[in-house]
Amino acid sequence: MYQATLSRRSYRFSDLRQLMAKASPARSGDYLAEVAADSAEERMAARIALAEVPLKTFLQQLLVPYEQDEVTRLIIDSHDTLAFAPISHLTVGDFRDWLLSEQADSAMLAQVAPGITPEMAAAVSKLMRNQDLILVAKKCRVITRFRNTIGLPGHLSVRLQPNHPTDSLQGIAASMLDGLLYGSGDAVVGINPASDSLPLLEKLNHMLDDVIQRFAIPTQSCVLTHVTNTLHLIERGAPVDLVFQSIAGTEAANSGFGINLALLAEAQQAALSLNRGTLGNNVMYFETGQGSCLSSNAHHGVDQQTCEARAYAVARHFSPLLINTVVGFIGPEYLYDGKQIIRAGLEDHFCGKLLGLPLGCDVCYTNHAEADQDDMDTLLTLLATAGLTFLIGVPGADDIMLNYQSTSFHDALYIRELLGLKHAPEFADWLTKMQITDDLGRLRDTAANHPLLLALQGEQP
């Protein structure tokens, strides 16, 4: 039992799960799940009580039962007690103060990351203002490598997302060319296919690989199909760079995705066996999003933000090159408006980086949400200030296959110019060599006989 008194009224919370849920900022998904605070006053009382909870409690009082959930078992069994030691005496409130202090610099945060559980990260985020989430995330440094170096301070990468509603190779190639000529694609060139046809998926892999190899682009490709399809593609000899999978924070939710930890481990080993990375062996790419556990009725009464943080334990176990929260994609049933989407994006980025992940964000919303592109501009600017690893680049910010609103190649230009952010260094060198950018990293006018333009027309460069 946890309790706090506010305005002469005593509030009681039956267990840690309820306390965490009641302390969460208001969002439609938690109201849908009937776990949210009934009032702003109850929410504040829950935060007061949560601030007094020792971090050690999260290792003893498990929100999802150990016996029922392999994600819980992963969190507990892989917990690094040595890394946890410097902060093991703190309460959640003390942890917030410590994170905001000068003592918690980049080196120290990297040292303690393996000792922080998702529940600890989620708990402290509930006590933090937006500026706190930004400041601490900015101090977290997470660097990964495959064919280039992602996550360096002062850098921001972009996933080039050339989706097409019919998987037209020509349409995908046109979008990919558009993105490359705007300097996007250093995180990954990643296609969400409309079809699950293995022959088509194989063609997409070969097309991406042909462009990357033909022009010696220091980046990686990914066809974002189900992990079992990717395993089949590897067996067929397809040139797979990264293995993709959507993941969630409970075993039941992952089962809904048709996956488990053993399957992800099998896929990781298959990708590693191809030895396609030139600078590193981070071969996994994961996507997450608040509301995924609730949407499959697999949340165990846990609030959606804590469930999201638990997904990061799954990702951390497989050392991904990239992971991003598709923050507003699931819809207004889970994040109702721009205010909720902005808060969720900052929470996800903070929790992921605190746990040692190369977290990016698909700054996005669906057309039936109470949000617009101005909200996305705000979230993009805040996240980039907080040290976002990568964002999504879609032609015109409008994904015509997935039918949602994201960020564009032009948005990436805006945020790079505003904050002086650089491409991945190897990719930046390639852009200069290909005369796409000048020596200062600024876009150049593209001549009609540029090799990439000729390639799209079927001509030899």
Side-chain angles (χ1 to χ4, degrees):
M1 176 72 72
Y2 299 90
Q3 63 182 31
T5 300
L6 198 63
S7 300
R8 299 182 181 179
R9 179 177 175 181
S10 181
Y11 290 88
R12 291 179 173 83
F13 309 97
S14 59
D15 55 24
L16 191 57
R17 182 189 297 114
Q18 185 185 60
L19 179 65
M20 291 274 282
K22 298 287 189 179
S24 292
R27 63 205 58 198
S28 53
D30 288 339
Y31 288 113
L32 181 64
E34 300 182 339
V35 300
D38 294 330
S39 66
E41 185 172 287
E42 184 184 31
R43 183 173 299 111
M44 184 55 66
R47 291 174 180 172
I48 291 170
L50 181 59
E52 298 302 318
V53 175
L55 291 180
K56 290 179 180 178
T57 304
F58 293 96
L59 301 173
Q60 302 157 355
Q61 298 181 28
L62 308 181
L63 304 188
V64 182
Y66 183 93
E67 299 78 10
Q68 299 177 17
D69 188 90
E70 69 173 359
V71 177
T72 298
R73 293 193 290 274
L74 174 67
I75 292 168
I76 297 302
D77 295 347
S78 64
H79 182 248
D80 190 328
T81 55
L82 185 61
F84 182 57
I87 58 173
S88 62
H89 62 290
L90 300 177
T91 65
V92 177
D94 294 333
F95 188 34
R96 172 189 176 274
D97 294 341
W98 181 82
L99 288 170
L100 292 168
S101 72
E102 293 182 0
Q103 181 184 354
D105 58 15
S106 298
M108 178 57 75
L109 289 172
Q111 178 183 325
V112 302
I116 301 171
T117 69
E119 291 83 356
M120 295 175 193
V124 74
S125 75
K126 298 176 193 301
L127 305 185
M128 303 178 94
R129 293 169 55 185
N130 286 0
Q131 66 174 250
D132 300 336
L133 299 174
I134 293 169
L135 181 61
V136 176
K138 179 74 171 180
K139 296 192 286 185
C140 297
R141 302 276 187 259
V142 184
I143 298 171
T144 57
R145 294 179 175 89
F146 189 76
R147 290 200 188 99
N148 58 21
T149 306
I150 295 172
L152 292 170
H155 292 66
L156 175 67
S157 294
V158 178
R159 170 189 161 190
L160 203 173
Q161 184 169 299
N163 295 342
H164 193 278
T166 64
D167 291 330
S168 162
L169 296 185
Q170 186 176 18
I172 290 170
S175 293
M176 182 164 46
L177 171 68
D178 190 25
L180 289 171
L181 291 178
Y182 275 112
S184 292
D186 49 344
V188 63
V189 181
I191 300 171
N192 296 92
S195 170
D196 283 330
S197 163
L198 281 176
L200 176 60
L201 297 175
E202 191 169 6
K203 286 182 181 179
L204 293 176
N205 269 280
H206 279 287
M207 185 194 76
L208 293 178
D209 183 64
D210 177 67
V211 173
I212 289 173
Q213 300 301 330
R214 183 177 180 183
F215 294 99
I217 308 174
T219 190
Q220 36 283 327
S221 67
C222 185
V223 176
L224 282 71
T225 187
H226 193 271
V227 64
T228 52
N229 288 335
T230 304
L231 280 168
H232 290 314
L233 290 170
I234 292 174
E235 291 171 357
R236 292 164 69 112
V240 172
D241 287 344
L242 304 183
V243 173
F244 168 80
Q245 183 56 49
S246 294
I247 57 173
T250 68
E251 179 179 348
N254 283 326
S255 295
F257 286 143
I259 63 167
N260 54 38
L261 298 179
L263 180 60
L264 294 178
E266 179 186 354
Q268 182 187 35
Q269 290 305 310
L272 287 171
S273 72
L274 300 180
N275 197 31
R276 292 177 59 80
T278 55
L279 295 183
N281 59 1
N282 299 114
V283 296
M284 306 298 282
Y285 175 21
F286 296 118
E287 284 189 344
T288 65
Q290 289 194 28
S292 57
C293 289
L294 175 58
S295 67
S296 58
N297 195 29
H299 58 102
H300 296 269
V302 177
D303 68 90
Q304 69 179 36
Q305 189 251 333
T306 301
C307 284
E308 169 72 5
R310 284 170 53 91
Y312 302 155
V314 177
R316 180 167 64 174
H317 185 64
F318 295 102
S319 304
L321 179 76
L322 305 165
I323 170 175
N324 69 272
T325 169
V326 193
V327 64
F329 182 75
I330 302 182
E333 300 84 357
Y334 307 95
L335 295 170
Y336 178 72
D337 57 14
K339 180 180 177 67
Q340 292 187 11
I341 291 171
I342 289 169
R343 173 68 190 191
L346 294 176
E347 289 170 347
D348 294 350
H349 181 251
F350 163 83
C351 288
K353 295 293 277 296
L354 190 62
L355 292 167
L357 284 170
L359 206 99
C361 184
D362 190 344
V363 178
C364 64
Y365 65 102
T366 56
N367 289 312
H368 61 310
E370 290 294 324
D372 57 28
Q373 211 65 37
D374 285 339
D375 295 315
M376 299 306 102
D377 288 349
T378 299
L379 179 55
L380 169 61
T381 305
L382 294 175
L383 285 171
T385 304
L388 184 69
T389 302
F390 73 103
L391 67 141
I392 307 298
V394 178
D398 184 4
D399 192 304
I400 58 173
M401 197 287 282
L402 292 173
N403 196 28
Y404 77 117
Q405 307 304 309
S406 184
T407 46
S408 69
F409 308 136
H410 301 79
D411 294 328
L413 294 177
Y414 146 73
I415 202 65
R416 289 191 197 281
E417 181 176 350
L418 178 70
L419 300 178
L421 299 171
K422 302 176 182 178
H423 302 84
E426 302 84 0
F427 193 80
D429 290 343
W430 178 82
L431 290 173
T432 303
K433 178 182 176 181
M434 293 293 291
Q435 298 186 351
I436 296 172
T437 60
D438 61 22
D439 292 338
L440 298 178
R442 298 172 299 196
L443 282 183
R444 301 176 57 153
D445 291 335
T446 304
N449 64 346
H450 192 281
L452 287 170
L453 287 169
L454 294 177
L456 182 65
Q457 300 167 15
E459 300 180 27
Q460 292 297 321

